[in-house]
Amino acid sequence: MKQRILIVGAGFGGLWSALSATRLLDIHSRTDVEVTVLAPQAELRVRPRFYEAGVHRMKAPLGELFAAVGVRFVKGLVDRIDVQGQRVAYRDERGAGAELAYDRLVLATGSSVVRPKMAGVEHAFDVDQIEEAMRLEEHIRALGSRPATRARNTVVVAGGGFTGIETATEMPARLREALGADAEVQVIVVDRGSRIGAALGDGPRAQIIEASQALGIQWCLDASVASVDAGGVTLADGRRIDADTVVWTVGVRASALTEQIPAERDAQGRLHVDRSLKVIGQDAVYATGDVAYAACDDLGHFALMSCQHAIALGRSAGNNVAADLLGVEPIPYSQPKYVTCLDLGAWGAVYTEGWDRQVKLEREEGKRLKTQINSVWIYPPEANRAEALAAADPLIPVA
């Protein structure tokens, strides 16, 4: 009877875990271990691009790729993880209950934006999941049919972190596409920080300020949203901003399924893992991507909830979970190089290197790199077995 590696989730972490596990099994000519991916859909949803227009295109089918490399895909939504019994209960596409047993489990169920318990927060949009990003896109498209008002032409973005900045700087062009090239639009970022781009540090601040000024982005600093309604937001200090469009980008938390694993979690709900990405205190459970609290190096840096880290985490988790079953040496996860490439709309982009985010490229040069990352580098490989498995080598640097 075959042993089973069960990977829950088909995002960046889950996809690359599946390919990397299959790669190691292939190297050792082992056909007695099955790699299974359990997820709601056999597609990679390219979440880093959900701030852009045309979001319905930002997904990549995985069925042919899984078939080419011999990964079994099961469509379903997980309800319960039984760590002691080594079983996962899920609902299939018809809603019927079913179970899958495993010898080793890789949890790769990602993260989601945190919507606070706040009056009217249901009126806010987000760019966290593809369905919500599509709802925002439909809303923006429909603004042109509304009477012209200042509120119609205003977008409030709650949160001035990475996602908030990319969303805000894209908004002027998206609004003018819906309202007309000459429309007077207003985009306001509401941020708790005392300085523009505080969440990204001093490195790219000058470029963020320059891009904001060029695009007409306003920053409301030392501020937070207290409530949302259909016509705008009220801030904690009582100020009112009228806006037909509010986008929430504040706070991200790991999948709630992490709470079913008896183990230590960090403040964002991520499971503490060792350098092989095995959950500390568990013999048969690994965590990867946004559900893993993993050290990138020996200097105190930990992986962030980003596709840059999720791809490498996935390659490492897949390799090491297979190595565990095969009885071969794992390859410790290591990702010492950290980079960012922040999209700044029509102004361009800014590319940084190092945890202190030293600027290396900006404007058009940065934009060319950002376009390459978003349209090529983060997409899955073609459905060619040899090429796909070669791309899953955990020693390949992501950046």
Side-chain angles (χ1 to χ4, degrees), residues 87-111:
R87 304 185 71 82
V88 171
Y90 68 97
R91 283 174 285 121
D92 66 19
E93 54 189 318
R94 299 182 302 277
E99 285 189 342
L100 284 172
Y102 65 82
D103 295 281
R104 295 292 185 275
L105 176 70
V106 180
L107 191 65
T109 45
S111 62

Short mmCIF file of all heavy atoms in Angstrom, two decimals, residues 87-111:
data_model
loop_
_atom_site.label_atom_id
_atom_site.label_comp_id
_atom_site.label_asym_id
_atom_site.label_seq_id
_atom_site.Cartn_x
_atom_site.Cartn_y
_atom_site.Cartn_z
N ARG A 87 -5.64 12.01 9.77
CA ARG A 87 -6.70 12.07 8.77
C ARG A 87 -7.18 13.51 8.64
O ARG A 87 -7.14 14.29 9.61
CB ARG A 87 -7.89 11.17 9.14
CG ARG A 87 -7.53 9.72 9.39
CD ARG A 87 -8.74 8.85 9.64
NE ARG A 87 -9.52 8.65 8.42
CZ ARG A 87 -9.23 7.75 7.47
NH1 ARG A 87 -8.18 6.96 7.61
NH2 ARG A 87 -9.98 7.62 6.41
N VAL A 88 -7.66 13.85 7.45
CA VAL A 88 -8.23 15.17 7.19
C VAL A 88 -9.64 15.00 6.66
O VAL A 88 -9.86 14.27 5.68
CB VAL A 88 -7.37 15.94 6.16
CG1 VAL A 88 -8.08 17.22 5.72
CG2 VAL A 88 -5.99 16.27 6.74
N ALA A 89 -10.59 15.63 7.33
CA ALA A 89 -11.99 15.59 6.88
C ALA A 89 -12.26 16.83 6.03
O ALA A 89 -11.83 17.94 6.37
CB ALA A 89 -12.93 15.56 8.08
N TYR A 90 -12.97 16.62 4.92
CA TYR A 90 -13.26 17.73 4.01
C TYR A 90 -14.62 17.55 3.37
O TYR A 90 -15.24 16.48 3.46
CB TYR A 90 -12.18 17.83 2.93
CG TYR A 90 -12.17 16.68 1.94
CD1 TYR A 90 -12.80 16.79 0.70
CD2 TYR A 90 -11.51 15.48 2.24
CE1 TYR A 90 -12.80 15.74 -0.21
CE2 TYR A 90 -11.51 14.42 1.33
CZ TYR A 90 -12.15 14.56 0.12
OH TYR A 90 -12.16 13.52 -0.78
N ARG A 91 -15.09 18.62 2.74
CA ARG A 91 -16.32 18.57 1.96
C ARG A 91 -15.96 18.65 0.48
O ARG A 91 -15.21 19.53 0.07
CB ARG A 91 -17.25 19.71 2.34
CG ARG A 91 -17.97 19.49 3.67
CD ARG A 91 -18.77 20.72 4.11
NE ARG A 91 -17.90 21.76 4.63
CZ ARG A 91 -17.81 22.99 4.14
NH1 ARG A 91 -18.51 23.31 3.06
NH2 ARG A 91 -17.02 23.88 4.68
N ASP A 92 -16.50 17.71 -0.31
CA ASP A 92 -16.17 17.70 -1.73
C ASP A 92 -17.00 18.75 -2.47
O ASP A 92 -17.74 19.53 -1.85
CB ASP A 92 -16.35 16.31 -2.34
CG ASP A 92 -17.79 15.82 -2.35
OD1 ASP A 92 -18.72 16.65 -2.23
OD2 ASP A 92 -17.99 14.60 -2.49
N GLU A 93 -16.87 18.79 -3.80
CA GLU A 93 -17.52 19.84 -4.57
C GLU A 93 -19.04 19.77 -4.54
O GLU A 93 -19.72 20.76 -4.83
CB GLU A 93 -17.03 19.81 -6.02
CG GLU A 93 -17.18 18.47 -6.72
CD GLU A 93 -16.47 18.46 -8.06
OE1 GLU A 93 -16.57 19.47 -8.78
OE2 GLU A 93 -15.82 17.45 -8.37
N ARG A 94 -19.58 18.64 -4.11
CA ARG A 94 -21.03 18.51 -3.96
C ARG A 94 -21.48 18.80 -2.54
O ARG A 94 -22.67 18.72 -2.24
CB ARG A 94 -21.49 17.10 -4.38
CG ARG A 94 -21.19 16.74 -5.82
CD ARG A 94 -21.72 15.35 -6.17
NE ARG A 94 -21.15 14.34 -5.28
CZ ARG A 94 -19.97 13.77 -5.45
NH1 ARG A 94 -19.21 14.13 -6.48
NH2 ARG A 94 -19.53 12.85 -4.61
N GLY A 95 -20.52 19.07 -1.66
CA GLY A 95 -20.84 19.34 -0.27
C GLY A 95 -20.87 18.11 0.61
O GLY A 95 -21.17 18.20 1.80
N ALA A 96 -20.58 16.96 0.04
CA ALA A 96 -20.58 15.70 0.81
C ALA A 96 -19.29 15.58 1.62
O ALA A 96 -18.21 15.99 1.16
CB ALA A 96 -20.72 14.52 -0.13
N GLY A 97 -19.39 14.99 2.80
CA GLY A 97 -18.23 14.80 3.64
C GLY A 97 -17.38 13.63 3.19
O GLY A 97 -17.89 12.63 2.70
N ALA A 98 -16.07 13.78 3.35
CA ALA A 98 -15.13 12.72 2.99
C ALA A 98 -13.87 12.88 3.83
O ALA A 98 -13.69 13.89 4.51
CB ALA A 98 -14.81 12.78 1.50
N GLU A 99 -12.99 11.88 3.78
CA GLU A 99 -11.76 11.92 4.54
C GLU A 99 -10.59 11.43 3.69
O GLU A 99 -10.76 10.62 2.78
CB GLU A 99 -11.85 11.03 5.79
CG GLU A 99 -12.69 11.62 6.91
CD GLU A 99 -12.55 10.81 8.19
OE1 GLU A 99 -12.09 9.64 8.13
OE2 GLU A 99 -12.88 11.35 9.26
N LEU A 100 -9.42 11.93 4.02
CA LEU A 100 -8.18 11.44 3.42
C LEU A 100 -7.19 11.15 4.55
O LEU A 100 -7.01 11.97 5.46
CB LEU A 100 -7.57 12.50 2.49
CG LEU A 100 -8.20 12.68 1.12
CD1 LEU A 100 -7.59 13.89 0.42
CD2 LEU A 100 -8.03 11.43 0.26
N ALA A 101 -6.58 9.98 4.49
CA ALA A 101 -5.53 9.64 5.45
C ALA A 101 -4.19 10.13 4.91
O ALA A 101 -4.02 10.32 3.70
CB ALA A 101 -5.50 8.13 5.67
N TYR A 102 -3.25 10.32 5.82
CA TYR A 102 -1.91 10.73 5.38
C TYR A 102 -0.85 10.08 6.26
O TYR A 102 -1.09 9.73 7.41
CB TYR A 102 -1.78 12.26 5.41
CG TYR A 102 -1.88 12.88 6.80
CD1 TYR A 102 -0.77 12.93 7.65
CD2 TYR A 102 -3.07 13.44 7.24
CE1 TYR A 102 -0.86 13.51 8.91
CE2 TYR A 102 -3.17 14.02 8.51
CZ TYR A 102 -2.05 14.05 9.33
OH TYR A 102 -2.14 14.62 10.58
N ASP A 103 0.34 9.95 5.67
CA ASP A 103 1.51 9.57 6.45
C ASP A 103 2.30 10.81 6.85
O ASP A 103 2.92 10.85 7.90
CB ASP A 103 2.39 8.62 5.64
CG ASP A 103 1.68 7.30 5.38
OD1 ASP A 103 1.66 6.46 6.30
OD2 ASP A 103 1.14 7.13 4.27
N ARG A 104 2.28 11.81 5.97
CA ARG A 104 2.86 13.11 6.29
C ARG A 104 1.91 14.18 5.73
O ARG A 104 1.37 14.04 4.62
CB ARG A 104 4.24 13.30 5.67
CG ARG A 104 5.31 12.36 6.21
CD ARG A 104 5.64 12.64 7.66
NE ARG A 104 6.74 11.80 8.14
CZ ARG A 104 6.60 10.56 8.61
NH1 ARG A 104 5.38 10.02 8.66
NH2 ARG A 104 7.64 9.88 9.03
N LEU A 105 1.75 15.25 6.50
CA LEU A 105 0.86 16.35 6.12
C LEU A 105 1.67 17.62 5.93
O LEU A 105 2.54 17.94 6.75
CB LEU A 105 -0.20 16.57 7.20
CG LEU A 105 -1.16 17.76 7.01
CD1 LEU A 105 -2.12 17.49 5.85
CD2 LEU A 105 -1.94 18.03 8.31
N VAL A 106 1.38 18.35 4.86
CA VAL A 106 1.94 19.69 4.67
C VAL A 106 0.77 20.67 4.67
O VAL A 106 -0.10 20.62 3.79
CB VAL A 106 2.72 19.82 3.35
CG1 VAL A 106 3.28 21.24 3.21
CG2 VAL A 106 3.85 18.80 3.28
N LEU A 107 0.73 21.55 5.66
CA LEU A 107 -0.32 22.56 5.73
C LEU A 107 0.15 23.79 4.97
O LEU A 107 1.18 24.39 5.29
CB LEU A 107 -0.64 22.92 7.18
CG LEU A 107 -1.89 23.77 7.39
CD1 LEU A 107 -3.14 23.01 6.98
CD2 LEU A 107 -2.00 24.22 8.84
N ALA A 108 -0.60 24.16 3.93
CA ALA A 108 -0.22 25.27 3.06
C ALA A 108 -1.47 26.08 2.70
O ALA A 108 -1.70 26.40 1.54
CB ALA A 108 0.46 24.74 1.80
N THR A 109 -2.25 26.41 3.73
CA THR A 109 -3.56 27.01 3.51
C THR A 109 -3.56 28.53 3.53
O THR A 109 -4.62 29.16 3.50
CB THR A 109 -4.57 26.48 4.53
OG1 THR A 109 -3.98 26.47 5.84
CG2 THR A 109 -4.97 25.05 4.18
N GLY A 110 -2.39 29.14 3.57
CA GLY A 110 -2.28 30.57 3.35
C GLY A 110 -2.81 31.45 4.48
O GLY A 110 -2.87 31.06 5.64
N SER A 111 -3.19 32.66 4.09
CA SER A 111 -3.62 33.67 5.05
C SER A 111 -4.74 34.49 4.44
O SER A 111 -5.07 34.35 3.26
CB SER A 111 -2.44 34.59 5.40
OG SER A 111 -1.98 35.26 4.23
#
